[in-house]
Each structure stands twice: as structure tokens, then as C-alpha cells.
Amino acid sequence: MTATNSRFSFKDRPQVLKSAEGQTYDLLIIGGGINGAGVARDAARRGLSVLCLEKSDLASGTSSRSSKLAHGGLRYLENFEFRLVFEALNERNHLLKAAPHMVHPLEFILPMYVGDRVSPLKMKMGMLVYDMLALFRAPKSHSYLGPAATIARVKNLNARGLKGAFAYSDAYMDDDRLVFEIGRDANRFGAHFLTYFEVTGLDPETRELPVKTVLAKDSITGIEHKFKARHVLTTVGPWTDMVASRLLPDWKPRMRPTKGVHLTLSRLDFPLEDAVVMAADKQKRIIFAIPRQEMVIIGTTDTDFKADPTDVHTDAKDVDYLLKILEEYFPLARIDKAKIIATYCGVRPLVDDGSGYESKVSRDHVIVSDQRGFTFMMGGKYTTYRLMCEEALDEVLKHFSKAERASYRKCSTKDQLNPKIDTNSYSLALTKVAELTEKSKLSHIQVKMLIERHGPEAWDIIADHKFTYVWEYEALHALEHTYCANLLDFYTRRVQLFLGKENHGLKFIKRIGQIFQNYYGWSDDQLTLEIQKVFNHSKSELSWKDLTELPSEDKIDYI
């Protein structure tokens, strides 16, 4: 098994398109989120020819709009979903090893108050079960903090009625970057990706044939193309019913999507060292406050959503709901709407199981196959993506002959996502900040951030270039290795500029824009259009035309 490609660039899209139209794939995947990329990686590594079509950017749907946690789901123990929690904790442990530059240990503090629905004794039992299901492989076992220790550890926490708190370990992740790294590895082994291609239907004459012809429209040119494959798999999350009905007229709806909203705040306004778990209401909802580098994420809501997931947006009542809970737990922090940097929301791809409350709907996954050569992935937790993808591909292969199945390699998705990065090389890289700082024009803090995000690959990123700002290096890396098509994709998914920086980091946009312009050969008018798209997406009071000068060294913050 040999990897062939090192570059994963949108610049190669024309060549990929030409190649794709001239062949019949073993597997065509619709949807370029975590599951689409995950199955593409598994299939390519096993030896199948694979094409993945995505209607927008990779990870542009639910896969970049999660709470960004790799966790077992402590609250699912109340629903007796022990198998789901066990699988998630096992996969969390795998992610910590396979992608140490994207998945990081994080301690969670769960305060207990007088009158809480769950007693400290019951919570203690839950914590023991959680540690057991993790096979005691969590970075730290749970512990109990008294009221004084809890207040000392969590600044501004409400002390009234506080009994104490439990501390336990889980992990946070870069959900969008994880998709890109998975796609990059799939591409190394020959998988093809085409973004900005929306599947419009299926050639009806091929529905019963061994080879299907899928119709997809290029969003950039407006031209419809045909792609052939022996089997079609959908991994489109909350869009499953919509896409499945285009492929199979007799499809019956299976989904119960729910909407999840998050807020982001600056850690200067809301300083947290540990994540905090907040009980929302009597419907057993959980809200997290999660510190990530310079920002804190607050979320998520959990309400039924019946419209097109493409149209999901944050409402004022969603913001008020989260701020109310934050006020209850952190009255001294004085967080109001003016301190919100950004909001984001997504739609969870839950399968309808008849539950009353949205929060009671199982997060377990369902894989459905149709004898005509279609498989559909639905539901599931982000943390268990790898296991879900393995199961989905095993289901797909049931449609292939016994001899063909025997010819394919075994699943190898427990390997490192990036062959250059494992836990040892990552830890070693973190000790060499000063060394890399000497090789670049970057500040110590910029280099530290680059190494934390890319481990030893930071040396490759800095090689042969002498940029002034870390975002310029990040931009070039995104263009070469994450299939990044435009500035908006970069700002919203490749880095946390949009979510974590004041004014969404727009003061960097001319520097970053120049990198994109040089790489793609954009005209000045095209660059202006791309910059305007980012401003249109933001709620900044700035206009890009106000940025008459490039940022200077003494007027800019680096992280």
C-alpha cells in the first residue's frame, strides 16, 4: 500500500474533473463532510477507486458547526446508551493518538448546585461508569472539588448554592481541519474530490444497472456533468432525505434534524482555563463553555429543524437562550450581546426514533442499503466517524463479488492521519519553538501557534518562504493541502479568524488575499470580489475599502 499524492489543492480541480468524467468508479460518495471524507479515505486505502462530490466546500455543513469536542457524551448515560458512549470514548482515544495536532485533551468542570435534578451521588456513579467505559485511558480520571476549590478554579462562577464540582477529561478538536486532513490522506491514496458540485439526480435509465450515472452541476461554471460508479453512497447528514429522494423516488423520510447554535467570545472577556458544563433546563440539555486558544465557544441549543439545512441561521431567541444560561452560571462575567464575536449554527443529522424531546433522540448511526446499488449513512456522533465509516464501507462491499472483496486490503484507518505527525513527533516539535523562530521572520508566539496546529509539519510550512505574518503561511498551506477554493472558505473553516478574532480578523485580509491572488492568478477585480464576499458574510462595521494600508508590525496582534 503506497501513498502517491502529496498535494491536495483546488488548483488541480480541472484535471480531476477531466479524469473523473473518463472513468467508472467503484464508489461515488455524495457529501464531503467528516463521513464522506472518512469513507473516501477508508475505501482508497483498501484499494477502491473513489470519487467524492460536495456541493460546497469540504466540511461546509454540519462538520464545521459542531461543539468541536471529541467526547463520549456523558449525558447519554442517562439514556442507557452505554454502547454508544463506549464506542465514542474508544474513538476519542484513537483520535488523540492519530491526530495530536488537531485533537487535544481538555478538562471539564461540572458544577453541582442545591436543587439540581441530578444528585452528587448519582453524578459520582455516572463519572465512575464514564471512566470504566473509557477503560481508564482518559488523560485524567475524574475528581471531586469542594465549593472553595471550584470557585478558585473557575473564575466568575456563581457561588450561590454551589455544592462543589466534578472534574473529568475529554478532548476538543478542530472539526473542520480534521475533515481536510482526512481528505488529504484519502487523496494520497488516489481518492478524487470535486467540490462545488451539487448532485441534481440520477440518470433514471441506470438506476437498475450495475453502473449508475450520477448528474451533478458545477456551481462555478453552471455546467452539468455525468459521473459513473458501480455503487453510490450518500453521506450528506441532514440533507439525507432530500438527496435520497433524488436518487430513489420511493425513498421514505428517515431524518429528524435538530438545530444547534453556538456563540464565540474572547477569552479576554471570558477567561476560562477549563471547559464548564452547564445544565440548561428540565429537558436535560447540556450547554458547554469551551476555551479554545483565544476564544470561548458557548453552546449548543437543540431544537427541531424542518427546513432546508442550507437555510439554517441564528435567531435572536437562540442568542438570548444561551446568554441567559451563561448569566445564571457566570453572573460576574457580565457577558452581553456586545461581547459576542460571532455565532454559528448547524443541523444535526439525527434519525427519527420517535422520542419526545429533541435532546432525547439517539445520537446512534444508521446505515441503510438498497439492493439497486445505493447505501445511505445517517445519524451518529462526530467522535465515532471512523468506526461509522468502516461499517458503512463494509456494507457497501456486500454489493461486490466475493472475489472482489477478497482482493481489497483490510481497513487501515487507525493509522496516523498525517504520516509526519504522531504523538512523539508532535511533543518533540512543541519543544522547538525557539529553533523554528530563528528560521523565520515570525514572532515567538506566532511560531508557537503554528507548531501547536501543525506539529513537525510547521518546518515544511515555513520552508522557502519569509512571510511576516503567520496567517500568510496558513493561507499557503491551506491552498496547497486543504483543497481551499477561496477567501471565504479560508476565513470560515481553515483558521479561526472569523470565529475568534475581533472584527473577524478582517484587518489581515489584504495580506491573505495577496497569497490567494498570486496562487490562483486572480485579477485585481477578482480579488476585490473575493474580499467583498468575506465582508458580506461578516457583521463587521468595517468595510474592506476602509483598509487602505496593510497591517504594520506595531499595530497588529498575532494570535
Side-chain angles (χ1 to χ4, degrees):
M1 182 172 61
T2 304
T4 57
N5 303 321
S6 58
R7 189 165 89 163
F8 187 40
S9 173
F10 190 81
K11 183 184 279 189
D12 298 327
R13 185 176 186 263
Q15 290 78 17
V16 173
L17 175 57
K18 183 178 180 180
S19 175
E21 289 190 298
Q23 64 177 293
T24 297
Y25 289 90
D26 293 323
L27 178 63
L28 187 149
I29 301 169
I30 304 173
I34 185 65
N35 289 333
V39 175
R41 179 186 183 226
D42 193 354
R45 279 174 161 262
R46 294 200 206 188
L48 282 75
S49 59
V50 185
L51 172 64
C52 180
L53 299 176
E54 163 57 45
K55 71 174 183 176
S56 185
D57 182 27
L58 294 176
S60 57
T62 306
S63 295
S64 60
R65 304 180 189 186
S66 73
S67 295
K68 307 184 188 301
L69 297 177
H71 66 140
L74 182 65
R75 71 183 181 91
Y76 303 137
L77 294 179
E78 277 199 291
N79 299 339
F80 303 106
E81 296 185 86
F82 299 113
R83 180 187 58 80
L84 175 63
V85 175
F86 172 78
E87 289 177 351
L89 289 171
N90 186 59
E91 290 299 310
R92 178 199 67 184
N93 187 59
H94 156 70
L95 283 169
L96 285 166
K97 294 178 180 177
H101 56 310
M102 295 183 179
V103 184
H104 307 274
L106 180 66
E107 277 214 89
F108 288 68
I109 307 298
L110 197 162
M112 304 293 295
Y113 288 91
V114 174
D116 278 355
R117 181 179 56 82
V118 179
S119 68
L121 178 59
K122 185 177 180 180
M123 187 59 69
K124 173 69 174 178
M125 293 174 61
M127 290 288 172
L128 286 171
V129 172
Y130 204 61
D131 282 345
M132 289 172 60
L133 291 174
L135 304 179
F136 300 99
R137 293 183 299 181
K140 289 184 180 180
S141 296
H142 82 273
S143 60
Y144 184 77
L145 306 173
T150 302
I151 294 298
R153 185 158 175 176
V154 185
K155 188 176 181 180
N156 294 324
L157 184 68
N158 191 350
R160 186 175 182 180
L162 180 67
K163 292 182 176 180
F166 285 93
Y168 68 97
S169 289
D170 258 319
Y172 73 88
M173 64 179 176
D174 294 327
D175 53 1
D176 36 26
R177 290 180 61 225
L178 198 60
V179 176
F180 310 140
E181 193 77 291
I182 292 167
R184 183 183 176 189
D185 192 62
N187 182 249
R188 286 188 186 101
F189 287 88
H192 287 165
F193 289 81
L194 287 172
T195 57
Y196 293 96
F197 268 90
E198 181 171 9
V199 171
T200 56
L202 183 78
D203 182 344
E205 296 183 359
T206 67
R207 187 171 290 116
E208 308 291 339
L209 297 179
V211 174
K212 313 292 183 291
T213 299
V214 173
L215 309 177
K217 183 178 181 180
D218 186 335
S219 302
I220 296 174
T221 66
I223 299 173
E224 187 171 71
H225 297 262
K226 296 181 179 181
F227 303 100
K228 295 182 179 181
R230 299 170 60 199
H231 196 90
V232 177
L233 170 70
T234 72
T235 59
V236 293
W239 286 270
T240 295
D241 287 335
M242 185 184 304
V243 173
S245 63
R246 296 175 186 171
L247 303 175
L248 299 176
D250 55 353
W251 175 264
K252 291 180 173 55
R254 300 286 299 267
M255 305 301 293
R256 184 183 174 176
T258 64
K259 173 183 173 181
V261 174
H262 298 82
L263 317 176
T264 62
L265 308 168
S266 168
R267 285 178 77 174
L268 296 177
D269 292 326
F270 189 31
L272 280 184
E273 296 301 321
D274 304 294
V276 177
V277 185
M278 300 173 283
D281 51 32
K282 294 181 180 179
Q283 296 182 31
K284 302 181 181 180
R285 293 178 181 171
I286 294 296
I287 305 297
F288 293 103
I290 308 160
R292 285 174 49 86
Q293 297 170 357
E294 64 185 337
M295 69 177 176
V296 177
I297 297 174
I298 309 297
T300 176
T301 60
D302 195 6
T303 54
D304 282 321
F305 187 81
K306 298 181 180 180
D308 184 340
T310 305
D311 301 326
V312 68
H313 63 276
T314 303
D315 298 317
K317 64 180 181 180
D318 299 319
V319 175
D320 291 340
Y321 175 78
L322 293 173
L323 288 180
K324 180 177 180 294
I325 296 165
L326 203 60
E327 169 68 18
E328 291 173 1
Y329 275 80
F330 295 92
L332 299 179
R334 295 181 173 85
I335 301 297
D336 56 21
K337 292 181 181 179
K339 293 183 178 179
I340 297 173
I341 297 175
T343 68
Y344 68 95
C345 59
V347 181
R348 298 179 190 85
L350 305 184
V351 180
D352 193 350
D353 62 3
S355 297
Y357 290 127
E358 300 95 323
S359 58
K360 291 287 289 183
V361 180
S362 175
R363 268 54 177 173
D364 212 344
H365 64 281
V366 175
I367 299 169
V368 175
S369 269
D370 185 279
Q371 63 181 3
R372 289 165 286 186
F374 301 90
T375 299
F376 306 88
M377 288 184 70
M378 296 169 281
K381 279 173 54 62
Y382 199 116
T383 309
T384 60
Y385 88 89
R386 191 208 61 80
L387 179 63
M388 291 161 49
C389 292
E390 181 180 352
E391 292 179 6
L393 187 55
D394 287 342
E395 183 65 33
V396 166
L397 290 176
K398 292 178 182 178
H399 294 261
F400 290 64
S401 71
K402 185 176 181 181
E404 287 176 313
R405 292 198 298 271
S407 70
Y408 295 131
R409 295 181 286 268
K410 294 183 181 298
C411 176
S412 62
T413 53
K414 287 189 176 181
D415 290 354
Q416 301 301 125
L417 285 182
N418 187 319
K420 295 182 179 180
I421 306 172
D422 58 24
T423 53
N424 290 331
S425 66
Y426 182 73
S427 297
L428 181 62
L430 292 175
T431 67
K432 297 185 176 182
V433 175
E435 176 183 319
L436 189 56
T437 301
E438 291 182 2
K439 295 179 180 293
S440 72
K441 294 174 63 177
L442 301 181
S443 68
H444 182 276
I445 194 169
Q446 290 185 90
V447 170
K448 183 174 183 293
M449 187 194 81
L450 199 66
I451 293 177
E452 286 176 348
R453 283 170 53 84
H454 300 282
E457 196 170 28
W459 273 259
D460 297 334
I461 293 172
I462 284 181
D464 303 324
H465 297 285
K466 291 294 182 181
F467 295 132
T468 304
Y469 304 113
V470 68
W471 307 115
E472 295 172 283
Y473 286 106
E474 288 282 8
L476 190 56
H477 176 267
L479 288 165
E480 282 283 307
H481 300 297
T482 73
Y483 218 76
C484 186
N486 53 59
L487 282 172
L488 184 58
D489 290 347
F490 178 77
Y491 259 77
T492 53
R493 280 175 288 278
R494 270 59 179 187
V495 291
Q496 64 179 45
L497 280 170
F498 201 87
L499 294 181
K501 296 293 292 184
E502 180 185 4
N503 280 316
H504 308 298
L506 294 176
K507 61 186 174 183
F508 299 100
I509 201 164
K510 285 192 174 181
R511 285 279 190 180
I512 295 168
Q514 286 182 346
I515 302 295
F516 275 74
Q517 183 180 30
N518 293 337
Y519 189 81
Y520 284 126
W522 289 344
S523 66
D524 289 343
D525 287 344
Q526 179 65 31
L527 176 60
T528 297
L529 178 62
E530 295 294 335
I531 289 176
Q532 190 62 56
K533 287 179 181 178
V534 179
F535 273 86
N536 291 345
H537 189 74
S538 77
K539 294 181 180 179
S540 172
E541 295 179 358
L542 292 174
S543 163
W544 74 267
K545 294 178 181 178
D546 295 332
L547 300 180
T548 55
E549 297 180 1
L550 295 175
S552 62
E553 185 79 25
D554 59 344
K555 294 181 180 179
I556 212 158
D557 52 339
Y558 294 112
I559 300 301

